[in-house]
Amino acid sequence: MRLSDTYWQLTVPSFEFPRALPKSVKFIGTPPIMPNQASLPPWAADLDGKRKVVLVTQGTVANHDFNLLIMPTLAALANEPDLLVVVTAGGRSAEDIPGPIPANARLANYLPFEWILPRVDVLVTNGGYGSVNQAMSFGVPLVCAGLTEDKADVNMRVGWSEVGIDLKTNAPTPQALHEAVRAVLDTDRFRRRALLMSEEFRVIDTRAEIIRDIGRLQPKLANREHAASMATN
């Protein structure tokens, strides 16, 4: 961080622990979601607003074993008639998700986030940084369970900022997931915090910030290249 002229951090200040950071660090929100990267699932019409929607994902890296998060969540919420549990397999085939699949569950290999996130009431995730920040940018509260890669740090911030619940485990039980999801859905404090966070994302134009910094840094880079060329000659 200290060696760079600008260090772009893809989040907002309220999702980072209070600490002294180098002046080079700049929070730039999250990039716009590229639309139409996935088609709508055949069950898209089921998200008609009659039931609350729980989106479950193990991301695209730590999704080798669906028994870690997806299967316990399906089991935890199988008997909740007021919920629709939507699962994205993160690029793996949804057919790899072992049964039995509850009647209130809907599965997909991929889902277009620009379509699903505005319809989601809570995201259950192992804590992938991109999906966590995208969810917060839409005001979606979270239930997190993951310890691999950077996930323990990400999930710790979820709990600290009160945008959701960090279960602090890589293999949550159905009971713990049920209690956490119901706590997020049945109280409004997590939704309030997530909505406040989404406002912070909304006021940052990520694309404009990046373009502005590139324009500001171009003369400095050009001068360095010129100096290096002169020294070589």
Side-chain angles (χ1 to χ4, degrees):
M1 291 184 201
R2 291 178 173 83
L3 294 176
S4 58
D5 293 293
T6 295
Y7 186 99
W8 293 322
Q9 185 62 37
L10 287 166
T11 191
V12 292
S14 293
F15 195 58
E16 183 53 65
F17 300 128
R19 55 187 172 131
L21 291 171
K23 293 181 180 179
S24 58
V25 176
K26 185 174 186 179
F27 296 97
I28 59 170
T30 189
I33 297 173
M34 293 178 62
N36 305 317
Q37 287 190 298
S39 57
L40 294 183
W43 41 260
D46 293 347
L47 276 68
D48 54 11
K50 294 179 181 178
R51 289 182 281 181
K52 290 186 176 181
V53 176
V54 179
L55 176 62
V56 189
T57 177
Q58 282 186 219
T60 57
V61 176
N63 65 356
H64 57 283
D65 183 1
F66 290 135
N67 289 299
L68 291 176
L69 183 60
I70 286 178
M71 292 309 298
T73 305
L74 290 175
L77 305 177
N79 298 316
E80 301 292 308
D82 62 324
L83 302 182
L84 192 66
V85 184
V86 175
V87 177
T88 173
R92 286 186 61 186
S93 172
E95 295 180 357
D96 292 340
I97 298 173
I101 304 301
N104 67 340
R106 303 292 184 271
L107 313 180
N109 300 349
Y110 271 124
L111 286 171
F113 264 24
E114 77 277 9
W115 169 76
I116 189 67
L117 284 177
R119 294 167 169 81
V120 170
D121 295 283
V122 58
L123 173 66
V124 179
T125 174
N126 54 2
Y129 193 73
S131 57
V132 164
N133 276 275
Q134 290 287 3
M136 291 190 300
S137 73
F138 281 85
V140 177
L142 304 112
V143 171
C144 300
L147 299 176
T148 60
E149 296 89 29
D150 61 340
K151 294 177 176 61
D153 285 335
V154 175
N155 295 338
M156 191 183 300
R157 285 163 170 79
V158 168
W160 168 79
S161 62
E162 298 184 329
V163 295
I165 295 174
D166 175 17
L167 293 176
K168 301 178 182 179
T169 177
N170 211 45
T173 64
Q175 180 180 351
L177 285 161
H178 180 271
E179 292 174 357
V181 169
R182 291 292 1 168
V184 171
L185 290 173
D186 297 341
T187 60
D188 63 353
R189 68 186 184 99
F190 298 105
R191 169 69 69 174
R192 281 202 315 268
R193 288 293 302 166
L195 287 173
L196 286 172
M197 196 78 79
S198 73
E199 286 298 306
E200 202 167 339
F201 277 96
R202 186 183 60 81
V203 299
I204 299 176
D205 187 335
T206 303
R207 190 191 309 271
E209 291 293 335
I210 291 172
I211 292 173
R212 184 180 299 113
D213 281 348
I214 290 173
R216 176 176 58 84
L217 292 172
Q218 274 182 332
K220 184 182 291 188
L221 294 173
N223 288 338
R224 287 177 184 170
E225 289 178 0
H226 178 71
S229 174
M230 294 294 292
T232 302
N233 294 333

